[in-house]
Amino acid sequence: MNLDLTPEDLAFRDEVRAFLDEALPPELREAGRRMTSVFCDKRFSLPWQKILHGRGWVAPSWPKAYGGPGWTETQRSIFAAECVRAGAPSLAPMGLRMVGPVIMRYGTAEQKAHYLPRILSGEDYWCQGYSEPGSGSDLASLQLRAVSDGDDYVLSGSKIWTTHAHWANRMFCLVRTSTEGKPQAGITFLLLDMQSPGIRVDPIITLAGEHEVNQVFFDEVRVPKAHRLGEENQGWTVAKHLLEFERGGGSAPGLGVGLDRVRAAAVAEPSDQGATMLQDAHYRRKLAEAEIAVQAIDMSERRVLSALVSGQNPGAASSMLKAQGAEAVQRIDELAIEAIGSYAAVHQPLAREAGSNLEAIGPDHGLTSMARYLNNRASTIYGGSNEIQRDIIARLVLGL
């Protein structure tokens, strides 16, 4: 495993840094640094997406044939890491990283020609219709019915925890088209218009007091069969391909930024003994343990990157990285709350918005800590719970 960057990769890294210094506006940089979730507010993610689209860098993993830059695995990793370090707002992943690659794999020529350019430009903003009440990690038990009626499917049921459904104009959705055989065998993958008659989006306010997720209701919603991706009752195969893009990898730079934020707070905040939190032996030990965990994740991601560069399949590594990354981010959040103390509990959502002129109560470096902590409690659940990831590792690696 060679972890050294080539001269060409170093030159590319410098090019990316120069671009970010010039093209990333201060207001978007501030928004990125004040993010409290893995999903950035559309007000900030879309402007940044348009800037990247103009440079041809909006979809690092896409091949040139579909509008991507045609980068190597190493270049993609460099670009992602530099964006995190620069404080760039994250782009909505549902179109660019999730349904886009699946359309490339399973879409018809007409679907590719229609959807892919609109994903790149941000004209279509997607949400994911997977989880249902009672069907979260057990996704195969979903019950949203899609009854065939001529050239349409008629949908009845609901989806839940649907991130940014209140902003999306498109949804990729798993529906039940058959109840015969194994549960996975009766699922179909649809692309639908969120403006279709019969769709209702109800907000779910998170513990952090933010409107990020929703429940979506379908009352006899008609979806043309031409909007099906793949064959009828073969949606489970399509969904498994999509999950390869949702899980694991690329979290180490973000975790490193989180550690830097915690370390800065620990230097500034007093401990109960009067010294700083960083001088507290017990706290310093926990911080060191978190740093070791992040270093281990970084090395694992580099090993996966090395395998991909050499044409190998990393196998169950994505499940391992997903589980480790989710637990590491929660550990870092807990350290931030401990360092800041009582000021972390102050609920001030307006003050933490990018561009706000409200004066924060308490230290500025603690403004977003509690919201991050509360939002990231879900990190060990979404994208397949950590229990599911460990089950995958047990089957694929240990043969259990």
Side-chain angles (χ1 to χ4, degrees):
M1 179 176 65
N2 185 2
L3 302 180
D4 293 331
L5 295 178
T6 66
E8 293 78 14
D9 290 332
L10 290 171
F12 175 76
R13 184 195 63 186
D14 292 342
E15 181 185 2
V16 171
R17 288 179 177 177
F19 168 75
L20 291 169
D21 287 342
E22 179 182 351
L24 181 58
E27 63 272 17
L28 297 187
R29 197 184 297 265
E30 181 189 11
R33 288 176 172 159
R34 292 200 176 196
M35 282 177 55
T36 58
S37 172
V38 293
F39 293 91
C40 185
D41 192 302
K42 183 181 179 182
R43 293 175 297 160
F44 306 111
S45 66
L46 270 186
W48 179 230
Q49 179 169 341
K50 293 181 185 303
I51 292 171
L52 290 174
H53 183 45
R55 181 64 180 259
W57 287 3
V58 72
S61 63
W62 287 28
K64 279 189 174 182
Y66 294 117
W71 286 344
T72 65
E73 294 286 350
T74 302
Q75 287 175 318
R76 296 172 201 166
S77 176
I78 291 170
F79 180 73
E82 293 302 324
C83 284
V84 169
R85 294 188 182 104
S90 63
L91 303 184
M94 282 82 76
L96 291 164
R97 288 174 45 196
M98 296 168 69
V99 77
V102 178
I103 291 173
M104 295 178 205
R105 173 76 177 269
Y106 292 99
T108 65
E110 291 78 11
Q111 288 171 333
K112 294 175 185 177
H114 176 75
Y115 289 115
L116 295 180
R118 296 167 64 94
I119 292 174
L120 289 173
S121 67
E123 186 175 356
D124 279 346
Y125 193 91
W126 291 79
C127 61
Q128 179 187 42
Y130 273 26
S131 294
E132 297 181 6
S135 298
S137 292
D138 183 18
L139 187 57
S141 66
L142 65 88
Q143 296 298 317
L144 174 60
R145 291 184 295 111
V147 178
S148 177
D149 184 18
D151 293 332
D152 297 336
Y153 292 110
V154 181
L155 276 57
S156 299
S158 73
K159 295 290 181 181
I160 201 167
W161 314 123
T162 315
T163 304
H164 287 188
H166 54 302
W167 286 330
N169 66 323
R170 300 285 178 186
M171 173 189 281
F172 57 92
C173 187
L174 292 179
V175 298
R176 172 74 54 195
T177 45
S178 174
T179 57
E180 298 180 3
K182 299 171 74 172
Q184 294 89 338
I187 293 173
T188 298
F189 196 107
L190 297 180
L191 310 173
L192 58 90
D193 185 345
M194 288 294 287
Q195 303 303 314
S196 302
I199 292 180
R200 188 179 88 242
V201 179
D202 284 0
I204 299 175
I205 305 304
T206 67
L207 285 171
E210 298 173 345
H211 179 194
E212 181 177 282
V213 294
N214 308 269
Q215 184 166 6
V216 183
F217 295 90
F218 299 83
D219 182 12
E220 302 292 309
V221 176
R222 303 188 76 87
V223 179
K225 292 181 178 177
H227 294 175
R228 183 183 68 220
L229 199 62
E231 298 300 319
E232 184 172 288
N233 297 325
Q234 296 299 311
W236 190 253
T237 299
V238 181
K240 286 195 298 183
H241 182 70
L242 185 146
L243 284 172
E244 294 178 14
F245 300 95
E246 186 178 3
R247 292 176 179 163
S251 65
L255 293 171
V257 170
L259 276 174
D260 290 342
R261 187 165 50 237
V262 168
R263 196 178 295 107
V267 169
E269 295 299 317
S271 69
D272 292 339
Q273 288 72 38
T276 67
M277 288 297 295
L278 194 62
Q279 293 171 303
D280 180 277
H282 181 60
Y283 184 86
R284 194 165 60 246
R285 177 181 59 78
K286 290 190 288 185
L287 181 58
E289 290 172 349
E291 291 174 335
I292 291 168
V294 171
Q295 288 176 7
I297 291 170
D298 182 49
M299 289 303 299
S300 295
E301 289 183 349
R302 289 171 184 266
R303 288 174 54 207
V304 169
L305 176 61
S306 180
L308 291 170
V309 168
S310 60
Q312 301 175 41
N313 187 335
S318 61
S319 290
M320 177 190 71
L321 289 171
K322 194 278 178 183
Q324 289 183 331
E327 290 168 2
V329 77
Q330 290 180 351
R331 178 184 291 185
I332 291 169
D333 290 337
E334 290 166 4
L335 286 169
I337 296 297
E338 184 176 351
I340 295 159
S342 57
Y343 280 118
V346 180
H347 184 60
Q348 42 188 336
L350 295 179
R352 68 172 181 257
E353 286 189 2
S356 173
N357 59 3
L358 292 178
E359 185 175 351
I361 300 172
D364 188 66
H365 56 249
L367 187 58
T368 59
S369 297
M370 182 60 75
R372 283 196 179 98
Y373 170 84
L374 293 172
N375 273 319
N376 285 331
R377 301 318 294 170
S379 66
T380 48
I381 300 174
Y382 59 63
S385 71
N386 278 19
E387 290 79 7
I388 295 293
Q389 305 310 323
R390 287 185 168 87
D391 184 61
I392 292 171
I393 294 169
R395 287 187 287 107
L396 295 184
V397 178
L398 303 178
L400 300 178

